Structure formats: structure tokens, C-alpha cells
Amino acid sequence: MDDTLSGTSLKKSFGKSLLYSLPMILITFMFISGGRPDFSNPSSALAMMITFILVNVLYFLMHYTGKTDKFRAILFIIFALSLSFTLISNMLEMRNSMSFSQADILECKIPFCHLVIPMMILPAAFTKSIIFPGSILGSFAGIASMVVLWLVATLVLGRGFCSWGCFYGGWDDGFSRIRKKPVIKKISDSWKWMPFAVLFMVALTSALSLGPTYCDWICPFKAVTEFEEVTSVASAAKAGVFISLFAGLVVILPFLTRKRTQCSFLCPLGAINTLSNKITPFTVKIDKANCSECFKCVAACPLFALTQEGIRNGKVSVFCSKCGKCIDACSRNAIHYGIKGVPAGTMKKFSRNLFLFISFLFMAVFSSGSIVNTFRGLLDLIF
Amino acid sequence: MKKIKIIAGIAWAFICLILIIVLFPGLNSFSSSLAMLPFMKINPNYTGGEVAQSLVMDNCTIDIRRPVFDGLFGERQKGFVQIDWRGEIPAEIIDTIDFDFDNNKDFAISINSKSSETILLPFNNKIRDVGISTPTSYGWAVRVNLKK
Ligand code: SF4
Ligand code: SF4
């Protein structure tokens, strides 16, 4: 099997990197341009070209440099920003406001997002209906298409969805990268169980009230997408909760700790994705023979998925989102992408190449619509 | 055994590769198939329930929906009935409604469509208060809260 030696570089030559990038170039070209590039609208054509070049340069660099996380994070953060841009500009265009009205709820016009999924499972089982005022087959953020996308991504990537698919994760990922060193170094990692408590609570309350309680009362990302019109004490209180949680868990704590605190301590979908790590074939493995137990990987992990004890035992926990940060931090390549069933320390390059192709392709195609839309919007603003 | 595990792992990884490659081109058809499942419909607490009767007036149509008491395991004690006015909405809507079709009027409602002021006059003790009264893209909608 390949590269069992310590420190084996994952870098590739320029030509080999280009060769590995070719399938991505072809497939993303098909999806971004729709197979037939249209040059009749210059800002659309330019936005598509920028997006196409951006995703493929990032993918190429993953192969060329042998590093994963920083190139993944660039696209992941752009995805989060562009999704908010797309949603907000859509809201402003349709309603002249970032808030939705009672009429939007009555007419089931609220865009659906994957964070609702944990709350709709019990009611769907008992009432045979979806407790969300959205559209089942809508062209923008329809419920059926979002569920299909999440379902397949979770099956294939497990919690990798949280670093390669979620259009919110880029927010706290981004803020966790601003400082070079953390100000707060010690946080008890038992907080990582908190999302399971949140999941239990919101699943129960949503079932009893037949309303998505997390969206109604907790979701920090309401602060950067859309929220209920402030017309009463209750709606003002909700807006206060959304903004405080966003400021605390998505901005301030990630900035001070270099950890993705919202994703680690709050998100109920993150808890479900954690469980799905049991199904996906892809995993992160520790090649104990090459590990010097420096624990740089433990410090690097933004999701509390690694512990010193775990490293000594050669175990990565189910909280891993396969972001690649620990892998990039390890100078001995002792921690690496792997495939379940394949022994640690073997087939490192094969596993990485296959995982990167699958996960990056998902992120590139999923994000391209909103990124193109954002570049087009910015170009229209400038010119 | 070790070999079987390796082959199974790699086979599952390649199935995942195929799944991701077909996901986006097939998204519309996968979504349409999912949408056909019996639970893929919006809960009546959001849609307002099915239209039970449509009354055609001069300039607009009044849709009286079935009362919604839907809960997780059955019916709740409290619910609502939604009335929609579709078409050209006058400055003042004044109507009396028999939502359970027993030939007895259940409430009268008056809505000032400029100020949104809504006054409810209940004719029986099932009627609680006005839950929502709002302009919509099709006209006006009101939810009157009910008890059993
Ligand atoms: S934990 Fe939640 S918000 Fe964070 S990336 Fe995962 S699904 Fe998205
Ligand atoms: S263990 Fe490594 S790959 Fe997994 S979440 Fe932590 S840093 Fe990312």
C-alpha cells in the first residue's frame, strides 16, 4: 500500500495536480455554466467565470500543496457570506425588508433551511405533515430539494456536512480564524454534548407545539438571514436572542477560542450529523506508528473531536467534521483521511484523493449558485 | 476478514462517489419523488386548512376554511378558522360567517383594510378572539381563534 512512511508528503507536481483537477474542472464547468455559457449578460458571464476559476484554483491548490483546510475554508466562508447575501437581497427585492411578515407565513413563503430538519421528523411521523411555512417544491430553498441534498450529503460525508456543505458553518469557521493564537485556551470539551440536549429539547417542543421552535426562538443565523417582523414584545425578545447568540457563539467566542463554538455547543443538526459519522465510509485515522504525540492536532481541531487520550489510543471521535485542520497541522502525516475498513497508515493518498473529490464537488456545486449570484450582484453594484 | 472489510469500505466509498455525481443532475426528479410521499405536505396550522366553502361576492371571493384543531396525536382543545378574502378588497370589510355550516352565523367581522383594525363580534362561545388579520398577496386573511 502507498505512503506508510512518516512525513510522506501529500504534495503533487504541477502536472499531476492539474491532472487530478481535470474531472473537477469539467464537472464544475457543466454545473456552473449549465453546459452552455451565455455571454449575453456580461455581469452574469463574468460572475460565472470568477466562480468557476475560484473553485478550481482552490481544488488545484489542495492537490498541489497537499494542504486541505485553508483552501476548503476559503470556499466554505465565501459560501456562508454569499448565501446570506443571496437571501437578504432576495428578501429586499421581494419585500423591501429583511424581516418576513405574517402574510409570508400564511402564504408559506419562508425559505427552508436544513436546520429545520431535526424538528420536522417527529411531527412528520405523527401528523404526516411538515411543520414549516415553506414550499414543498419551491424553486428557491424548497423543502424537498433541501432534504434530498442534506440526506445524501450526510450519508456520504457524515459530519463532514458541517465543514463541506452547511451554508452557516462558514460564519463561525471564519471568525475562529481571525486570531493566530486563542485568548481563551481552556474550555471543557464536555460542552460538545450540549447540541444533543438542544436536539432533544427542540425535537420535543417542536413536536408538542407543531412549530419549529429552534427557528422561532434560538437560531443565531436569523441575524444574517431573515427573521420575524418586530411587532410585539415576543418578536422583540426573539430578535434579541438571535442577535445575542450570533454575537456570542458565532463571533466573539470563536474569535477568542479559535473554536467553532456555535457548531460545537448549540446546533441540533450538528448533533444529527455527528451520529451520521457512523454511516459514512470516510473518516480521519491516526497512524500510531508515526505519531510522536505532540498533540498539535488536538489544539488545532475546531470541533473538540480530538483528545490526547484518543490520540494515544488511535481514536478520532464521532464529532469530527473532516475539515482537515488537524491533518494539515501534523508534520508527520500521522493523522490522515481514511476509509472505514482500511487500516490506519495505509492508502493515505488514495483515501484523501477520493474524499476530497467527493466533498469538494458537493461544496463547489452546492455553493456555486449563491456565489455566482453574489458576484453578479457585486458587479452590478460596481458597474 | 481484513480483506473483506477493506473491499467493503472501498466499495461503499465508490457508491458514495456515484451518489454525489448523480445528486445534482437528478435533484429535481429526486425532490419530486420525495414530494410524493404522504408526509410531504405543509401542516394545516400553517396553510390554514383546506377551503371548505367559497362564497362569490361582487368584487371578491370569501374562502371559509375548515377549522384547524390539529395537534400531534389528535385534536387540540384550541384552534382557529381562517377566512380569506380574494380579489378587490374594499376599504371596509364587513361580513358574518357561518364557519361550521349549521345555518347559524358564528361571528361577524369588520376590517378596516387601511388601518388593519379588526373587530370581531362572536355569536357563540366557541369563538375566542382574532389571531391574525393581515393583508396578503391575494387580498386579506383572518384567523379567528376557536375553542372546542
Ligand atoms: S453544526 Fe450546524 S451550523 Fe454548524 S456546520 Fe453543522 S449543521 Fe451547520
Ligand atoms: S479531528 Fe481533524 S478533521 Fe476532524 S474536525 Fe477536528 S480538525 Fe477537523
Side-chain angles (χ1 to χ4, degrees):
Chain A
M1 302 273 166
D2 61 1
D3 59 346
T4 49
L5 297 172
S6 70
T8 303
S9 175
L10 296 167
K11 283 183 194 170
K12 295 185 184 85
S13 67
F14 187 90
K16 212 169 175 190
S17 304
L18 203 59
L19 202 67
Y20 272 87
S21 305
L22 262 182
M24 186 66 68
I25 294 173
L26 290 175
I27 299 179
T28 51
F29 175 78
M30 291 303 290
F31 281 111
I32 295 173
S33 69
R36 256 182 281 135
D38 174 15
F39 296 102
S40 59
N41 180 338
S43 59
S44 282
L46 196 57
M48 278 185 202
M49 211 148 78
I50 297 170
T51 308
F52 171 71
I53 293 170
L54 172 79
V55 296
N56 285 295
V57 165
L58 291 172
Y59 187 67
F60 170 85
L61 287 172
M62 282 182 176
H63 286 288
Y64 187 60
T65 63
K67 300 286 182 198
T68 306
D69 176 59
K70 66 177 164 207
F71 304 115
R72 174 203 64 80
I74 292 173
L75 191 60
F76 195 50
I77 294 166
I78 293 176
F79 186 18
L81 296 175
S82 65
L83 198 281
S84 290
F85 180 91
T86 303
L87 263 176
I88 293 169
S89 54
N90 231 4
M91 300 279 294
L92 292 177
E93 204 176 289
M94 282 164 58
R95 306 171 194 140
N96 274 327
S97 144
M98 243 181 93
S99 58
F100 52 78
S101 62
Q102 282 187 325
D104 295 322
I105 300 177
L106 286 191
E107 294 181 54
C108 293
K109 284 183 178 170
I110 309 297
F112 182 81
C113 96
H114 49 277
L115 296 196
V116 185
I117 293 170
M119 289 167 277
M120 50 183 240
I121 298 171
L122 281 179
F126 288 107
T127 68
K128 302 238 176 315
S129 65
I130 304 295
I131 53 157
F132 188 82
S135 136
I136 298 283
L137 279 173
S139 56
F140 181 69
I143 296 172
S145 58
M146 287 300 293
V147 171
V148 169
L149 283 168
W150 171 79
L151 213 60
V152 175
T154 305
L155 194 71
V156 171
L157 305 173
R159 206 189 179 190
F161 180 81
C162 296
S163 280
W164 298 86
C166 176
F167 45 69
Y168 294 129
W171 282 98
D172 64 349
D173 198 353
F175 283 107
S176 73
R177 287 165 191 272
I178 293 176
R179 283 189 65 89
K180 280 248 164 331
K181 292 225 156 74
V183 177
I184 300 173
K185 293 196 179 96
K186 265 213 161 332
I187 310 178
S188 164
D189 77 345
S190 33
W191 284 104
K192 69 186 178 197
W193 296 100
M194 190 67 183
F196 289 96
V198 177
L199 172 65
F200 179 74
M201 193 186 77
V202 297
L204 200 69
T205 50
S206 301
L208 293 175
S209 66
L210 291 188
T213 46
Y214 186 81
C215 312
D216 281 347
W217 285 97
I218 303 174
C219 180
F221 298 106
K222 293 275 176 210
V224 286
T225 51
E226 92 276 90
F227 52 80
E228 192 181 325
E229 225 169 6
V230 177
T231 51
S232 61
V233 178
S235 52
K238 287 177 188 179
V241 173
F242 301 148
I243 293 168
S244 316
L245 283 176
F246 186 80
L249 286 176
V250 182
V251 181
I252 299 170
L253 273 178
F255 176 76
L256 296 176
T257 59
R258 285 183 57 81
K259 304 284 179 196
R260 290 174 57 183
T261 47
Q262 189 286 141
C263 298
S264 301
F265 302 156
L266 185 71
C267 179
L269 190 66
I272 294 191
N273 292 342
T274 298
L275 299 177
S276 70
N277 253 354
K278 292 272 179 209
I279 308 168
T280 165
F282 299 105
T283 179
V284 167
K285 295 197 169 200
I286 295 159
D287 173 7
K288 273 171 61 182
N290 284 324
C291 176
S292 63
E293 298 189 358
C294 68
F295 302 127
K296 279 187 194 152
C297 53
V298 179
C301 178
L303 286 169
F304 303 90
L306 299 174
T307 60
Q308 296 192 359
E309 195 51 34
I311 298 291
R312 280 192 201 101
N313 295 327
K315 285 219 162 71
V316 173
S317 78
V318 281
F319 293 91
C320 173
S321 71
K322 305 170 189 83
C323 66
K325 208 169 183 183
C326 55
I327 300 171
D328 291 353
C330 178
S331 52
R332 299 170 66 90
N333 283 343
I335 187 160
H336 62 94
Y337 286 117
I339 294 173
K340 282 182 190 154
V342 177
T346 60
M347 300 179 80
K348 289 181 185 176
K349 285 184 180 167
F350 172 80
S351 307
R352 178 178 189 262
N353 290 338
L354 190 57
F355 175 71
L356 284 193
F357 181 76
I358 291 176
S359 53
F360 195 88
L361 180 63
F362 179 79
M363 176 157 65
V365 178
F366 190 28
S367 64
S368 59
S370 51
I371 298 179
V372 169
N373 187 60
T374 303
F375 282 135
R376 188 175 42 224
L378 293 176
L379 287 169
D380 286 343
L381 276 180
I382 298 167
F383 303 109
Chain B
M1 189 61 189
K2 218 169 130 189
K3 265 206 171 138
I4 295 175
K5 272 187 170 177
I6 295 175
I7 293 168
I10 294 175
W12 179 209
F14 273 101
I15 293 172
C16 288
L17 171 69
I18 295 166
L19 275 177
I20 287 292
I21 290 176
V22 299
L23 172 62
F24 289 98
L27 187 58
N28 283 343
S29 74
F30 298 147
S31 308
S32 307
S33 310
L34 181 70
M36 314 253 274
L37 294 179
F39 61 84
M40 286 301 277
K41 57 179 193 292
I42 307 293
N43 190 279
N45 282 293
Y46 290 103
T47 59
E50 305 82 47
V51 175
Q53 191 178 46
S54 283
L55 306 171
V56 182
M57 316 301 271
D58 290 344
N59 295 325
C60 70
T61 305
I62 304 177
D63 285 345
I64 302 173
R65 293 168 178 263
R66 71 144 173 103
V68 175
F69 286 94
D70 302 42
L72 186 65
F73 299 116
E75 297 225 315
R76 294 166 168 171
Q77 284 308 304
K78 289 179 178 171
F80 65 85
V81 62
Q82 180 169 324
I83 318 291
D84 297 314
W85 285 263
R86 293 177 188 276
E88 218 174 286
I89 302 300
E92 192 84 23
I93 300 171
I94 302 175
D95 280 302
T96 47
I97 306 288
D98 167 18
F99 72 82
D100 50 10
F101 315 119
D102 61 355
N103 291 325
N104 292 317
K105 297 292 179 192
D106 294 298
F107 59 84
I109 195 150
S110 109
I111 303 161
N112 181 323
S113 61
K114 295 276 168 296
S115 66
S116 293
E117 191 193 358
T118 305
I119 299 167
L120 176 77
L121 190 60
F123 297 146
N124 69 48
N125 57 7
K126 286 184 195 159
I127 313 296
R128 285 160 58 215
D129 51 14
V130 176
I132 297 173
S133 176
T134 179
T136 59
S137 62
Y138 52 79
W140 203 277
V142 163
R143 280 189 182 181
V144 173
N145 291 328
L146 306 174
K147 60 184 177 225
K148 281 238 160 178

